[in-house]
């Protein structure tokens, strides 16, 4: 499995790994996006400890080298965060565990453009599919991911509520799509 040169995930914005030095900046971006947290778990906005944990946690049987907790920057301003796992749940798939766009950039096509660029990069690396989870009751997330071509394949009960597991095939669906059987309780 090929690693991701994250600088190729966007031709418009600078992309780099986020580190513990970025926690306050990440928290500031998250704190402004209150709608996301209304539908996510307890409704409590992520704090510094939550962010530090998110930067490290990986799905089961996934090496830390497969995780890319990255920021998209316009100059020095963080405009988006993405938690991307290469090779999960299988070698041909990338999994977006989290994506958040700065509230001031929403509704302008910026998020869709970032996702399109990232998916193009992943496809060039040989990924055949991208998957993610959507909070079932969050209308903004539901609309965003469906608008960007993701299709719901099942519901999964998680600790924080019901998640819609979604996928988007990055290659010609006729060539690659197979019936898949995923464990209902597979953690995300």
């Amino acid at each position: 499995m090929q690693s991701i040169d994250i600088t190729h995930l966007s031709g418009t914005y600078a992309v780099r790994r986020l580190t513990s030095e970025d926690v306050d900046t990440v928290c500031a971006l998250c704190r402004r996006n209150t709608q996301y947290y209304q539908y996510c778990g307890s409704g409590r906005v992520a704090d510094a400890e939550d962010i530090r944990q998110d930067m490290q946690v990986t799905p089961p049987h996934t090496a830390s080298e497969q995780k890319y907790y990255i920021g998209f920057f316009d100059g020095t301003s963080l405009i988006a965060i993405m938690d991307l796992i290469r090779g999960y749940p299988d070698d041909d798939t990338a999994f977006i565990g989290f994506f958040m766009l700065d509230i001031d950039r929403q509704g302008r096509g910026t998020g869709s453009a970032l996702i399109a660029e990232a998916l193009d990069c992943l496809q060039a690396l040989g990924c055949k599919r991208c998957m993610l989870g959507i909070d079932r009751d969050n209308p903004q997330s539901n609309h965003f991911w469906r608008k960007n071509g993701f299709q719901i394949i099942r519901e999964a009960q998680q600790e924080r509520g019901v998640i819609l597991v979604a996928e988007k095939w990055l290659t010609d669906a006729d060539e690659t799509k197979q019936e898949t059987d995923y464990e209902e309780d597979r953690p995300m």
Side-chain angles (χ1 to χ4, degrees), residues 32-87:
R32 292 171 27 87
N33 195 340
T34 56
Q35 181 176 355
Y36 173 82
Y37 293 100
Q38 289 173 4
Y39 297 99
C40 180
S42 67
R44 182 183 63 80
V45 176
D47 62 19
E49 188 54 37
D50 295 327
I51 299 300
R52 282 188 198 89
Q53 224 174 28
D54 286 349
M55 288 178 168
Q56 302 301 317
V57 70
T58 59
H61 314 293
T62 305
S64 60
E65 296 81 33
Q66 293 172 250
K67 182 181 180 78
Y68 299 86
Y69 196 89
I70 56 177
F72 294 81
F73 290 83
D74 186 0
T76 60
S77 298
L78 177 66
I79 64 152
I81 304 158
M82 181 184 286
D83 185 1
L84 181 64
I85 307 291
R86 173 76 161 106

Side-chain angles (χ1 to χ4, degrees), residues 19-34:
T19 68
S20 58
E21 294 176 10
D22 298 303
V23 168
D24 290 340
T25 305
V26 171
C27 281
L29 187 146
C30 292
R31 203 176 2 252
R32 292 171 27 87
N33 195 340
T34 56

Side-chain angles (χ1 to χ4, degrees), residues 99 101 108-118 144 147-148:
F99 177 74
L101 182 68
R108 301 179 185 178
T110 305
S112 293
L114 283 172
I115 294 301
E117 286 184 318
F144 177 78
K147 174 180 77 170
N148 283 285

Side-chain angles (χ1 to χ4, degrees), residues 133-170:
I134 304 167
D135 291 308
R136 180 181 66 188
D137 297 326
N138 185 331
Q140 183 183 27
S141 292
N142 268 282
H143 174 75
F144 177 78
W145 292 113
R146 290 174 197 250
K147 174 180 77 170
N148 283 285
F150 283 81
Q151 296 179 1
I152 307 306
I153 58 173
R154 67 180 171 85
E155 289 188 1
Q157 182 65 45
Q158 298 284 310
E159 192 175 302
R160 64 180 191 169
V162 176
I163 301 298
L164 303 175
V165 179
E167 69 181 5
K168 180 173 182 174
W169 289 91
L170 305 180

